Amino acid sequence: MQSVTNQLTRLISDIFSQLGYDPAFGSVIASDRPDRCQFQCNGAFAAAKAARQNPVEIAAHIVNILRRDHRFSNVQTVGGFINLTLNDQTILYIATQLYDDPYAGVPQTTQPETIFLDYGGPNIAKPLHIGHLRAAVIGQALKNLVRATGRTAVSDIHLGDWGLPMGLVIAQLCEGHPAAFSDSAGHLTAQQLNTLYPLAAARGKTDPDFLQTARQITASLQMGDPKYTAIWKRISELSVKDLKSTYADLCIDFDLWQGESDAAQYIPALLTLLREKHLLRHSDGALVTDVTTPFDNPPLPPVLLQNKNGGSTYAATDLAAVMQRQKDFAPNQIWYIVDKRQHLHFQQVFRCAEKAGVAAPGVLRHLEFGTMNGRNGKPFKTRDGGVMQLSELFNAVYHSAYDRLKNSPHSPKPSIADTAHDLAVAAIKFGDLCNHRSKDYIFDPEKFLAKEGKSGGFLLYTTARINSLLAKADKPPQFTLRGVYSQHERDLLLTLLMDSDACTTAWKEAAPNYICESAYRIACAFSAFYHNCPILQEQDTDKRASRLSLCLLTKKILENRLRILGISPVEQM
Ligand code: ARG
């Protein structure tokens, strides 16, 4: 369906056009003075400027025409602004359209499109830590949003499984665990792996000989040495199993579990292409491509594609992955949901891809995000200053959620454990997603779990409240909106109708926080309605039926939006 502001925009654009003005002036938005009107159009000012006329007169003309339209209860002009208020019948009519809309009001694309999303990006051989949280949470929500708009989404985790970290771990393994050299490399456990990586990484920083060995091993691995390949395979299997279980706890999934190693097979073709286009140059034994232009200040450094050892680089695997994705899916866009500290890397990679003709301009987008901080405003750390594992963080939030629910007066359904899981996921995800992704935010589990305020806890609590109320209605209520009996109902209906615009903005900016804001407004409006209007106790059958219908509509929209955010609604808590 068309959003209500779109329907009104069409109406007013036609009038501008009838009067001889550009229809683009007819854009209608939600009112910024809800005490005066529900919607507004500010186009008379721009129209007046273009036609060298008086905005007040243009607005008066339009208002005169609109006054004949029975769908408005009030149309006014105030100093050139056009203020619009729909009558209740019209609101109920559009609300019923919304209830019947199979897409729950999410504006649908008219063009089939495929968006490829690259998020997650953990390196194998080490457990997920809190630095991996944002990519996963934002990436998953964006994937759901892409699908909700009728587009095709393909997601890939893009494992870091081909660079120096592999060489470092294998170098350490070869010394400490010769048994791992057996053909199957079967003796290695996930736990051993988790202790190995930090050791190897630290040693790589202080021991130049060790680093040199690790570099050689990386290059040999990349050239297909069978001994290293066997160990690498074992590391990869163990690690992927571990990663899958942590992501599953957070309800995060990927269509593809590819890695840098899968992209690597495209590197020779990439280098050939760059060579043919005269874009490749030798520099100190390495291969680089220049990507800077005279407009860059400071200039962009050249992209390093192959280092002195013949090993391929992070940039080379990213470029090769673009080729692979083009071949496999021909996506309209590829989105990289990666920390903003990698801004330069993506700038270089995108330039190079565009220069080489591997991707057209505008296809590759880095959707960068900020840092998750602790309460002290500094990057989140464990008590002893270390980096916290993601599973540890999730378990802590889960236990707090469990403790809260244990003491709750309503017994959580289906069970305390399941509800605590959903609550923990909601708290973590909403706490992250309600900030624009480009901003830093403070991780505060107590606030995130709270029943009140802009939190996942409040949103989930609202769905539980609606669900238990509907369960208490004698028989499953039919959807039948019969009237608007109070301002609380009108406010809730309008908040629900306006939500489509939040989805549009979220899509345009690839920023789920607009959906969070709107879901929060819906939950607040529902809460005011619930506390002020009798529903199950209402004696008047029309009112009761209508209010129950409003609960059904709220449930439909709110649960749909939470699912887009990657949050499961609950039955009772
Ligand atoms: N593995 C990388 C890292 O740990 C992140 C990968 C992000 N995605 C990408 N296509 N480069 O920094």
Side-chain angles (χ1 to χ4, degrees), residues 446-462:
E446 290 313 307
K447 195 173 123 198
F448 294 176
L449 286 165
K451 267 183 173 179
E452 303 294 332
K454 203 186 281 179
S455 68
F458 174 52
L459 271 293
L460 216 56
Y461 189 71
T462 308

Side-chain angles (χ1 to χ4, degrees), residues 270-485:
L270 171 76
L271 296 179
T272 307
L273 180 74
L274 291 170
R275 205 170 279 122
E276 277 168 12
K277 301 209 166 182
H278 306 290
L279 295 172
L280 214 51
R281 148 172 98 74
H282 286 272
S283 164
D284 283 342
L287 286 177
V288 302
T289 286
D290 294 308
V291 288
T292 198
T293 71
F295 304 105
D296 295 315
N297 185 19
L300 280 191
V303 187
L304 179 63
L305 293 162
Q306 193 177 71
N307 56 35
K308 276 189 265 184
N309 297 322
S312 44
T313 60
Y314 181 43
T317 48
D318 258 327
L319 283 157
V322 176
M323 293 178 86
Q324 182 183 24
R325 292 163 182 177
Q326 298 281 32
K327 178 175 157 285
D328 294 346
F329 300 97
N332 298 76
Q333 292 196 355
I334 304 180
W335 293 359
Y336 296 85
I337 297 97
V338 182
D339 195 308
K340 66 176 161 200
R341 283 171 290 192
Q342 296 206 22
H343 180 82
L344 177 63
H345 166 74
F346 284 108
Q347 233 187 338
Q348 291 177 296
V349 166
F350 294 179
R351 284 270 180 96
C352 188
E354 287 165 15
K355 264 184 113 165
V358 170
V363 168
L364 307 176
R365 280 177 79 183
H366 178 199
L367 302 178
E368 42 187 46
F369 56 80
T371 311
M372 175 175 123
N373 290 326
R375 283 200 203 132
N376 58 3
K378 305 225 172 80
F380 194 91
K381 289 270 164 11
T382 54
R383 284 221 181 105
D384 56 12
V387 177
M388 190 185 266
Q389 293 194 9
L390 198 49
S391 54
E392 200 184 325
L393 175 112
F394 180 77
N395 288 336
V397 180
Y398 171 82
H399 287 298
S400 301
Y402 193 96
D403 288 342
R404 279 167 186 258
L405 292 173
K406 214 172 50 191
N407 303 320
S408 109
H410 314 284
S411 56
K413 269 188 194 160
S415 67
I416 301 190
D418 287 337
T419 312
H421 179 268
D422 291 340
L423 177 56
V425 172
I428 293 174
K429 289 190 173 177
F430 196 88
D432 185 313
L433 295 170
C434 70
N435 310 283
H436 192 282
R437 60 177 159 72
S438 60
K439 301 228 165 78
D440 297 349
Y441 77 98
I442 291 180
F443 188 83
D444 184 348
E446 290 313 307
K447 195 173 123 198
F448 294 176
L449 286 165
K451 267 183 173 179
E452 303 294 332
K454 203 186 281 179
S455 68
F458 174 52
L459 271 293
L460 216 56
Y461 189 71
T462 308
T463 64
R465 182 175 263 170
I466 301 174
N467 285 329
S468 31
L469 190 146
L470 288 169
K472 279 190 213 131
D474 9 291
K475 48 182 175 7
Q478 289 279 322
F479 185 78
T480 155
L481 284 173
R482 301 191 185 167
V484 181
Y485 304 97

Side-chain angles (χ1 to χ4, degrees), residues 132-380:
H132 294 113
L133 182 65
R134 297 210 72 189
V137 169
I138 300 168
Q140 183 77 27
L142 288 175
K143 172 170 73 181
N144 297 341
L145 177 62
V146 167
R147 292 190 176 144
T149 64
R151 294 168 170 92
T152 303
V154 181
S155 61
D156 178 26
I157 186 165
H158 199 71
L159 294 167
D161 63 354
W162 207 231
L164 183 63
M166 292 295 100
L168 287 166
V169 172
I170 297 174
Q172 183 72 23
L173 248 180
C174 295
E175 281 183 4
H177 297 262
F181 263 114
S182 71
D183 274 355
S184 65
H187 301 285
L188 190 61
T189 65
Q191 244 160 7
Q192 281 173 324
L193 203 53
N194 291 349
T195 51
L196 266 174
Y197 185 85
L199 275 180
R203 233 180 118 188
K205 284 190 188 129
T206 52
D207 179 345
D209 291 340
F210 179 77
L211 183 64
Q212 189 47 29
T213 312
R215 286 221 166 99
Q216 270 154 9
I217 293 178
T218 310
S220 306
L221 172 70
Q222 292 181 349
M223 279 184 265
D225 178 300
K227 179 177 68 199
Y228 294 132
T229 305
I231 304 177
W232 173 84
K233 277 210 173 115
R234 177 75 189 136
I235 295 176
S236 176
E237 274 164 21
L238 275 175
S239 195
V240 164
K241 210 167 138 210
D242 197 40
L243 294 172
K244 281 194 172 160
S245 103
T246 310
Y247 279 123
D249 277 340
L250 284 157
C251 308
I252 305 286
D253 56 46
F254 302 91
D255 303 314
L256 305 172
W257 279 76
Q258 290 183 334
E260 295 172 354
S261 62
D262 295 290
Q265 47 181 310
Y266 288 80
I267 291 178
L270 171 76
L271 296 179
T272 307
L273 180 74
L274 291 170
R275 205 170 279 122
E276 277 168 12
K277 301 209 166 182
H278 306 290
L279 295 172
L280 214 51
R281 148 172 98 74
H282 286 272
S283 164
D284 283 342
L287 286 177
V288 302
T289 286
D290 294 308
V291 288
T292 198
T293 71
F295 304 105
D296 295 315
N297 185 19
L300 280 191
V303 187
L304 179 63
L305 293 162
Q306 193 177 71
N307 56 35
K308 276 189 265 184
N309 297 322
S312 44
T313 60
Y314 181 43
T317 48
D318 258 327
L319 283 157
V322 176
M323 293 178 86
Q324 182 183 24
R325 292 163 182 177
Q326 298 281 32
K327 178 175 157 285
D328 294 346
F329 300 97
N332 298 76
Q333 292 196 355
I334 304 180
W335 293 359
Y336 296 85
I337 297 97
V338 182
D339 195 308
K340 66 176 161 200
R341 283 171 290 192
Q342 296 206 22
H343 180 82
L344 177 63
H345 166 74
F346 284 108
Q347 233 187 338
Q348 291 177 296
V349 166
F350 294 179
R351 284 270 180 96
C352 188
E354 287 165 15
K355 264 184 113 165
V358 170
V363 168
L364 307 176
R365 280 177 79 183
H366 178 199
L367 302 178
E368 42 187 46
F369 56 80
T371 311
M372 175 175 123
N373 290 326
R375 283 200 203 132
N376 58 3
K378 305 225 172 80
F380 194 91

